[in-house]
Amino acid sequence: MRHRNWDNFHEDLVEQYQVHSTREIHPRPRQILVDHVETHSGMQFEYVYRPLGAAAVFVLPITSDGQVALIRQYRHPLRREIIEIPAGSVEPGEDIFECAKRELLEEVGGTAEEWHPLPAFFPQPAFTGAIFYPFLALGVTLGEPQLEETEFITLQPTPLPEVYRMLDAGEILDGNSVIALYQARPLLVQRGLL
Amino acid sequence: MRHRNWDNFHEDLVEQYQVHSTREIHPRPRQILVDHVETHSGMQFEYVYRPLGAAAVFVLPITSDGQVALIRQYRHPLRREIIEIPAGSVEPGEDIFECAKRELLEEVGGTAEEWHPLPAFFPQPAFTGAIFYPFLALGVTLGEPQLEETEFITLQPTPLPEVYRMLDAGEILDGNSVIALYQARPLLVQRGLL
């Protein structure tokens, strides 16, 4: 299962900067590099970034009774909990759709009757080569989560109309959840779910 | 000029992890930290992240004749050019709205008759505390860009309906531009521009 927009992520790579050297300042999986680069105009500077290769999935899970399985999750960089949809990193070699099914199961114990891939995107092109893959999951049944020991997640099922009211009011602060919600909206309306 | 959702970013901070130590592996402005943390359950691990404090603006510029001032920009982490809207980092102490006006001027030589703040968001809460602030700029007049020496930007004015066709087809790959386009859509429709 794939979205046709995924083909856009296989474009030939180009080097517009000349890379004089590369230092790894943090190892995989959260690898961070510092390149010493030189532009056409001869300017030299250091570029710190996360390289191509990382990927994550985001799942917008709609239960059979029209609830969105939102989660509240503690995010250490923010020093707070925020509301998100279930998400997680694609493991090396893992199929993207299999990863989406796994994350839904792990984070909210969910299984879905119907899946729709949504357009993938770069979350922060100035800093990271990561690609994020959102999915819409319909007919979801929730169960017992299987959280990793470092995850602190609270399930917060919320009626679909309330979630879209929150979206329109700017109350969903996670940009990636915002994208999935906007992308899924026409299909949810078309299905009479919203 | 501010959006009421900006208040959501001033919530009290909490520490759900105990932080045993912090190392800075890259200095500001692209500061990266590695915290040695311990969870409630006693699990210890390293968390690499960009701390709270960074901010960037994104400007969706609509000209008086209904074109979107899209740009093509080389992004070193991706090793390719992608289509985006004008954007840039908020300087320390800089007002967010002043920054939006500055970036529009610098990247596409633009000035706007009318500005609308859109809801801010966290671009990647698992990794960065950065907050991104999108704006809609209407009645934009384009001029001579004033690019930084490290910026490679090509202006690509595109009719509004074509930009939203690209959005719906998943051809806009920059997640932050995607968010601004979705957020601005109802106002553009309401104004009869779309």
Side-chain angles (χ1 to χ4, degrees):
Chain A
M1 180 171 296
R2 47 185 290 117
H3 192 283
R4 68 198 153 102
N5 116 307
W6 294 8
D7 294 334
N8 294 319
F9 295 86
H10 298 292
E11 194 172 282
D12 286 346
L13 304 186
V14 293
E15 283 281 7
Q16 244 187 52
Y17 299 156
Q18 187 181 347
V19 180
H20 287 298
S21 65
T22 299
R23 279 186 296 132
E24 181 187 75
I25 61 170
H26 198 270
R28 295 170 194 272
R30 286 204 166 182
Q31 189 185 31
I32 301 175
L33 304 180
V34 181
D35 285 359
H36 181 91
V37 300
E38 181 173 344
T39 66
H40 295 316
S41 57
M43 188 177 176
Q44 296 191 27
F45 61 101
E46 298 223 308
Y47 203 114
V48 57
Y49 68 106
R50 298 185 67 194
L52 285 166
V57 296
F58 291 77
V59 181
L60 175 59
I62 315 292
T63 64
S64 306
D65 61 344
Q67 308 270 316
V68 182
L70 294 178
I71 58 176
R72 288 189 70 88
Q73 180 158 22
Y74 179 68
R75 292 304 194 177
H76 184 61
L78 315 183
R79 298 298 202 279
R80 61 184 281 188
E81 284 187 341
I82 62 167
I83 289 171
E84 303 181 12
I85 60 176
S89 297
V90 180
E91 303 292 338
E94 188 178 27
D95 176 78
I96 292 164
F97 178 44
E98 292 304 317
C99 177
K101 288 193 283 190
R102 177 176 61 74
E103 287 293 343
L104 182 65
L105 192 65
E106 284 181 9
E107 298 206 337
V108 296
T111 53
E113 284 171 5
E114 189 181 332
W115 288 86
H116 297 270
L118 301 167
F121 58 91
F122 294 114
Q124 215 187 336
F127 185 73
T128 175
I131 303 172
F132 285 179
Y133 294 89
F135 289 83
L136 171 63
L138 296 177
V140 169
T141 305
L142 300 174
E144 201 57 45
Q146 301 152 28
L147 298 179
E148 293 171 45
E149 236 191 316
T150 58
E151 286 180 323
F152 295 91
I153 289 176
T154 313
L155 180 64
Q156 188 168 310
T158 309
L160 260 168
E162 168 62 7
V163 172
Y164 278 88
R165 185 205 62 74
M166 292 164 69
L167 177 72
D168 291 336
E171 293 171 17
I172 309 277
L173 306 187
D174 170 42
N176 305 299
S177 302
V178 165
I179 290 177
L181 284 165
Y182 275 124
Q183 290 175 333
R185 194 175 213 160
L187 186 68
L188 295 172
V189 170
Q190 186 191 314
R191 292 292 184 92
L193 292 165
L194 192 63
Chain B
M1 180 172 296
R2 47 184 288 117
H3 193 283
R4 69 198 151 101
N5 116 305
W6 295 8
D7 295 335
N8 294 320
F9 295 86
H10 299 292
E11 194 171 282
D12 285 347
L13 304 186
V14 294
E15 284 281 8
Q16 245 187 49
Y17 299 154
Q18 187 181 346
V19 180
H20 288 297
S21 65
T22 299
R23 279 185 297 133
E24 181 187 74
I25 61 169
H26 198 270
R28 293 170 196 271
R30 286 203 167 181
Q31 189 185 32
I32 299 175
L33 304 179
V34 181
D35 285 0
H36 181 91
V37 301
E38 180 173 346
T39 65
H40 295 316
S41 56
M43 187 177 177
Q44 297 191 27
F45 62 101
E46 298 223 307
Y47 202 114
V48 57
Y49 67 106
R50 299 184 67 194
L52 284 167
V57 297
F58 290 77
V59 181
L60 175 59
I62 315 291
T63 64
S64 306
D65 60 345
Q67 307 270 317
V68 182
L70 294 178
I71 57 175
R72 288 189 70 88
Q73 180 158 22
Y74 179 68
R75 293 303 194 178
H76 184 60
L78 315 184
R79 298 300 202 279
R80 62 183 280 187
E81 285 188 340
I82 63 166
I83 289 171
E84 303 180 10
I85 61 175
S89 296
V90 180
E91 303 292 337
E94 187 179 29
D95 176 77
I96 292 164
F97 178 44
E98 293 303 316
C99 177
K101 289 192 282 189
R102 178 177 60 74
E103 288 292 344
L104 182 65
L105 192 64
E106 284 180 8
E107 297 207 337
V108 295
T111 54
E113 284 172 4
E114 191 181 331
W115 288 85
H116 296 269
L118 301 167
F121 57 92
F122 294 114
Q124 215 188 334
F127 184 73
T128 175
I131 303 172
F132 285 180
Y133 294 87
F135 289 84
L136 171 63
L138 296 176
V140 169
T141 306
L142 300 174
E144 201 56 47
Q146 300 152 28
L147 298 180
E148 293 171 44
E149 237 192 313
T150 57
E151 286 180 322
F152 295 91
I153 289 176
T154 312
L155 179 65
Q156 188 168 310
T158 309
L160 258 169
E162 168 63 7
V163 172
Y164 279 88
R165 184 205 63 73
M166 291 164 67
L167 177 71
D168 291 335
E171 294 172 17
I172 309 277
L173 306 187
D174 170 42
N176 305 298
S177 302
V178 165
I179 291 177
L181 284 166
Y182 275 124
Q183 289 175 333
R185 194 175 212 160
L187 186 68
L188 295 172
V189 170
Q190 186 191 317
R191 292 295 183 90
L193 291 166
L194 192 64

